[in-house]
Amino acid sequence: QVQLVESGGGLVQAGGSLRLSCAASGNIFSFNAMGWYRQTPGKQRELAATITSAGSTNYADSVKGRFTISRDNVKNTVYLQMNSLKPEDTAVYYCNLEKELLPGIRHDYWGRGTQVTVSS
């Protein structure tokens, strides 16, 4: 079992910055990747950024150059540094962990989400 707890969301002006944190606990052995996804009402949840267990990163084109995902392996925490925020970034941000339960059998764990609101 894996538990993910997000924090760091809030209200910020356009051009400002926020840093999201996701603390992972439980059995996180043999995870493939962790990441941040975001969702607005009426839209599908979309990828913002991911980082693999090996440290490789991937970003959505819409956030590339503005967001940075990182990990603290000692604290089992993933961060999303969000700079130059735009109103279009407003969403609920969810932490994700993709775990290999058995060889070839993967499962996604999700946090409850944290609201990010960017004002004009």
Side-chain angles (χ1 to χ4, degrees):
Q1 190 68 31
V2 174
Q3 297 82 43
L4 304 173
V5 180
E6 304 103 329
S7 62
L11 175 64
V12 66
Q13 287 186 318
S17 298
L18 284 174
R19 188 195 193 202
L20 306 183
S21 299
C22 174
S25 61
N27 184 11
I28 60 174
F29 176 77
S30 189
F31 74 94
N32 296 328
M34 295 185 69
W36 290 94
Y37 293 71
R38 61 188 186 181
Q39 187 171 25
T40 57
K43 299 180 68 176
Q44 294 291 113
R45 194 171 297 183
E46 64 179 7
L47 180 147
T50 61
I51 184 167
T52 70
S53 59
S56 298
T57 58
N58 183 50
Y59 298 93
D61 289 340
S62 58
V63 309
K64 194 172 298 182
R66 300 187 297 118
F67 291 10
T68 303
I69 189 169
S70 62
R71 296 175 59 197
D72 185 330
N73 291 330
V74 175
K75 297 180 178 180
N76 293 324
T77 299
V78 173
Y79 304 95
L80 185 67
Q81 179 66 45
M82 305 185 295
N83 298 326
S84 302
L85 282 163
K86 305 174 180 179
E88 306 93 272
D89 297 318
T90 296
V92 177
Y93 284 71
Y94 297 90
C95 183
N96 167 265
L97 184 148
E98 179 184 302
K99 182 174 172 60
E100 194 87 6
L101 300 178
L102 293 169
I105 306 298
R106 295 185 293 274
H107 180 75
D108 288 325
Y109 295 89
W110 297 95
R112 298 296 296 271
T114 184
Q115 176 71 49
V116 171
T117 302
V118 184
S119 63
S120 300

